[in-house]
Amino acid sequence: MHPDVPTPPRQFTSFASSPAFFYRPVLLLLFTTMACTCVLAQNEKQRSEITPSAYRLLPLGDVRPEGYLKETLRRMGDGMTGKLDSLYPEVVGPRNGWLGGDGDGWERGPYWIDGLLPLAYLLDDAALKAKALAYVDWTLDNQAADGYLGPVPFEEDPGYEPGLQRTQRRDWWPKMVMLKVLRQYYEATEDERVLPALHRYFRYQLQKLPNRPLDADTFWANRRGADNLQVVLWLYELSGEDYLLELAEMLREQTFPWDRVFTNEPTPGRPEAPGSFGISGRYPFDSTAIAKISLADQGTIHCVNIAQGLKQPAVLYHLTGEERYLEALERGINDLKKYHGQVQGMYGGDEPLHGDDPTQGIEFCAISEAMFSLESIVQLTGNVEMADLLERITYNALPTQAADDFSGRQYFQAANQIELKRHVGNSFENRNHHGTDFVYGERTGYPCCTTNMHQSWPKFVRNLFYGTAGGGVAALQYGPASASLTVGDGAQASIRESGGYPFREQIRFDLTLDRPADFAFDLRIPHWAEGATVQINEEAAQAVTTGTVAQIERRWEDGDVLILHLPMRLTVSTWFEFSQAVERGPLVFALGVPGRYTRQVDENYGPYTEVTPTAPWNFGLLRAELDKLNNDVTVEEVDWDGRYPWTLSDAPLRLRMPALRVPEWQAEGGVPHLPAFWGGGDRRDSGQVEEITLVPYGCTELRIAQFPVY
């Protein structure tokens, strides 16, 4: 999943109750680069029975997007995220079971609200809040006397309606999504209805799970139980109710043991298989069966289950303090990259895991859920490499998979894709979705992503700033935003971040304080940022160490300015069949191929857009140029005022370099499989060397990002 980066030496130096994870030694200086899980405290009500979180989430709404991030969220609000009830009324309209209706009563309603609600509060948009609160209010106001939450199960079989998921209303899985919604809603509003409702529901779970386990209706809750456990532990931190720890242990026992999969141990339960992903019928977690389920396998584990399962070891570490869970997570991430990784940070998974060919599909739901898992991991553990991976996925894979106006999305994307048409694409599922997996549409491919894509950007924005021990602040992801929080011994602070990251090397933080305050400011220094420095006001810049968190502890004054400089050098990474990719800092670069757009309509999948190339795409890179990349490649910073950057025409950064036109490299059925033979001697005299322009991956629709090399 991630480019080859040496793991920092592991030194578990403890300054508090939480051991350091994956970091280098601690340097106790004014500008101290240190392992960020050492002394970071949490919410003042944190309970000692569980491992303290490395960082504290700020209340929803206390971090505000600015610049292109605000414009991105606004486009979501004006597009599918804000209008899904009118675009997809048969599923998330008034008949939805989470509004008391007789229609869709499974995951898709909560999926939508899980993204719409944080978007509404980040934008402070009353109309969007009202749409989200309709679901929240119905859920809270219609809780059953025994604590059950959610759509009322039918007394008789309601019968099948095309396109609706009406049955399985008691399934534990969709409740887990609504638990995430209710947590976010409480963090934004402190509505007094929420905590009592959660307590009633969790007591209901404690009573019912022994005889009706997570996999009673479908296997999805068994695979995704960490989402449930995460909210249980959050409520325990607030309340200290001991029954929640009993429930936590029960959930741990009934949830698929992802840590054993990540460490290649024999695993209780049956392996998944293509065709077993539907919700009809029971798919039991048979604890008496033992299987060897490996991340090296193709066609077995579901890609979204993996994305959600990534957080499980960190959540279990939070529960138990056992470092083996973090070690399992590290191995799992490395194996995903090794066997299925693509350059944009994701892994080949067109529902089942499907290898590392750069034409292999990547599901949008997997991106959304992997981002949330990584955000959870970083907040719980402070792990820098996981933060680097989150940034890689967000600023490369995420922007390209939704239309620029958020009127549609791809079900699958691929690192190399040069034609997005019906029945085009290297996809296991293509035959099941009328060939619509790669086109841009509202419901093409499979509509889970229509409802689940919306949590991606809003939750990333919320995780741009955290609270730390002793009233400090941390910025572990970077982008234009501002945060309001209490620091030091009670001072009120506002911090504004600007500078054009990830397209520019310098990040600026302007601090506004109502009075001077002593506190620490933590900054992630990515693994690629050799020569990074921190400067405060007119003081001399101080060097900081890559792959760590720099903790700047001082007495801060109103008007202080902190400048973080992250040098971005051009590098090359190697992938499937020795294909290579060009990177600069957090960004992957691709040959962006201009396209022709054709609007189509399918009677089952609705409107969609096909994109076909209007310029050559079959170029290989030249080894001689890659060997002297930083000398021969022209880096052009385009004039940019901070507007929405994720288009081919508005890319704020471009690379110009020679490349070799490869006539024999032709698409097969619209898929640009890498050519079978590379090389053939020095081809510079063949007249096929041309200058090409590479742009950030997220600015492309048609592209080649993993190139053959000659």
Side-chain angles (χ1 to χ4, degrees), residues 18-166:
S18 177
F21 177 37
F22 296 174
Y23 300 126
R24 296 184 172 93
V26 177
L27 302 178
L28 298 178
L29 302 172
L30 175 64
F31 287 86
T32 303
T33 302
M34 62 179 296
C36 60
T37 55
C38 294
V39 296
L40 301 176
Q42 49 286 218
N43 175 320
E44 64 183 358
K45 298 180 182 178
Q46 173 80 50
R47 305 295 165 169
S48 60
E49 290 85 349
I50 62 178
T51 305
S53 303
Y55 291 99
R56 175 176 55 85
L57 274 174
L58 299 179
L60 178 59
D62 284 5
V63 178
R64 296 286 186 187
E66 297 192 2
Y68 71 83
L69 286 178
K70 183 174 183 180
E71 184 177 353
T72 299
L73 296 193
R74 188 66 267 166
R75 288 181 180 219
M76 294 180 71
D78 294 338
M80 289 176 65
T81 309
K83 298 178 179 177
L84 199 62
D85 51 343
S86 59
L87 296 172
Y88 204 13
E90 62 271 35
V91 168
V92 297
R95 287 188 62 197
N96 190 277
W98 293 88
L99 294 174
D102 67 342
D104 206 271
W106 206 52
E107 66 182 4
R108 287 183 282 190
Y111 264 163
W112 177 41
I113 306 305
D114 193 30
L116 177 65
L117 186 137
L119 177 74
Y121 281 92
L122 287 166
L123 293 176
D124 195 19
D125 186 307
L128 298 182
K129 288 179 185 178
K131 291 187 179 189
L133 291 182
Y135 274 77
V136 171
D137 287 340
W138 186 91
T139 301
L140 292 175
D141 294 342
N142 290 276
Q143 187 171 23
D146 63 359
Y148 171 86
L149 277 173
V152 179
F154 295 110
E155 294 184 3
E156 299 181 1
D157 187 346
Y160 172 73
E161 281 191 47
L164 296 185
Q165 297 169 327
R166 302 184 70 199

Side-chain angles (χ1 to χ4, degrees), residues 66-352:
E66 297 192 2
Y68 71 83
L69 286 178
K70 183 174 183 180
E71 184 177 353
T72 299
L73 296 193
R74 188 66 267 166
R75 288 181 180 219
M76 294 180 71
D78 294 338
M80 289 176 65
T81 309
K83 298 178 179 177
L84 199 62
D85 51 343
S86 59
L87 296 172
Y88 204 13
E90 62 271 35
V91 168
V92 297
R95 287 188 62 197
N96 190 277
W98 293 88
L99 294 174
D102 67 342
D104 206 271
W106 206 52
E107 66 182 4
R108 287 183 282 190
Y111 264 163
W112 177 41
I113 306 305
D114 193 30
L116 177 65
L117 186 137
L119 177 74
Y121 281 92
L122 287 166
L123 293 176
D124 195 19
D125 186 307
L128 298 182
K129 288 179 185 178
K131 291 187 179 189
L133 291 182
Y135 274 77
V136 171
D137 287 340
W138 186 91
T139 301
L140 292 175
D141 294 342
N142 290 276
Q143 187 171 23
D146 63 359
Y148 171 86
L149 277 173
V152 179
F154 295 110
E155 294 184 3
E156 299 181 1
D157 187 346
Y160 172 73
E161 281 191 47
L164 296 185
Q165 297 169 327
R166 302 184 70 199
T167 58
Q168 311 293 2
R169 288 190 164 207
R170 284 198 180 275
D171 187 14
W172 297 107
W173 154 238
K175 313 293 192 293
M176 298 179 188
V177 187
M178 186 53 73
L179 293 177
K180 292 162 62 183
V181 171
L182 294 178
R183 172 182 171 174
Q184 293 177 92
Y185 174 64
Y186 181 79
E187 289 170 332
T189 67
E190 296 190 351
D191 187 322
E192 62 184 12
R193 297 175 297 167
V194 174
L195 299 188
L198 290 177
H199 278 297
R200 287 192 294 270
Y201 178 71
F202 289 144
R203 291 186 185 279
Y204 168 84
Q205 278 199 303
L206 188 62
Q207 178 187 10
K208 298 294 185 182
L209 282 174
N211 297 314
R212 193 171 170 277
L214 291 180
D215 64 347
D217 295 291
T218 72
F219 80 143
W220 301 104
N222 163 262
R223 297 308 197 257
R224 302 171 177 184
D227 292 69
N228 198 147
L229 177 58
Q230 195 172 17
V231 182
V232 169
L233 295 181
W234 170 78
L235 186 60
Y236 175 74
E237 289 179 343
L238 292 178
S239 69
E241 293 279 351
D242 288 339
Y243 85 91
L244 291 167
L245 293 182
E246 183 181 355
L247 175 59
E249 287 297 332
M250 191 177 297
L251 290 168
R252 175 165 70 153
E253 292 172 2
Q254 293 191 14
T255 300
F256 190 66
W258 288 108
D259 57 291
R260 297 179 68 88
V261 174
F262 296 163
T263 52
N264 294 306
E265 300 176 62
T267 306
R270 295 188 296 176
E272 301 170 14
S276 69
F277 302 136
I279 66 168
S280 59
R282 184 177 180 185
Y283 193 95
F285 169 70
D286 182 1
S287 61
T288 64
I290 300 294
K292 188 65 177 294
I293 304 172
S294 172
L295 291 183
D297 296 336
Q298 293 191 31
T300 55
I301 307 175
H302 191 273
C303 64
V304 184
N305 286 345
I306 280 281
Q308 294 186 242
L310 288 176
K311 75 171 76 66
Q312 186 187 46
V315 175
L316 292 179
Y317 170 75
H318 185 38
L319 173 64
T320 67
E322 296 178 28
E323 291 176 9
R324 64 185 177 92
Y325 288 118
L326 301 183
E327 294 165 358
L329 171 62
E330 181 183 16
R331 288 186 61 178
I333 290 287
N334 289 339
D335 280 353
L336 272 180
K337 181 216 168 180
K338 178 179 179 180
Y339 296 110
H340 307 281
Q342 292 187 13
V343 66
Q344 76 291 85
M346 286 299 297
Y347 48 88
D350 45 12
E351 298 218 17

Side-chain angles (χ1 to χ4, degrees), residues 578-635:
F578 306 105
S579 60
Q580 299 209 324
V582 178
E583 306 178 22
R584 183 176 185 266
L587 296 177
V588 174
F589 281 77
L591 176 68
V593 183
R596 178 181 297 108
Y597 300 85
T598 306
R599 189 73 166 167
Q600 306 280 9
V601 177
D602 181 87
E603 62 179 354
N604 296 307
Y605 289 85
Y608 64 92
T609 299
E610 294 184 332
V611 190
T612 53
T614 59
W617 55 267
N618 50 347
F619 290 91
L621 301 182
L622 295 165
R623 168 59 56 196
E625 302 300 333
L626 297 181
D627 288 343
K628 48 184 180 177
L629 200 61
N630 285 280
N631 295 326
D632 288 5
V633 175
T634 301
V635 178

Side-chain angles (χ1 to χ4, degrees), residues 504 635-641 649-654 656:
R504 304 292 187 260
V635 178
E636 179 184 353
E637 290 190 353
V638 180
D639 287 341
W640 178 51
D641 61 3
S649 59
D650 293 328
L653 198 60
R654 302 176 189 274
R656 302 191 190 280

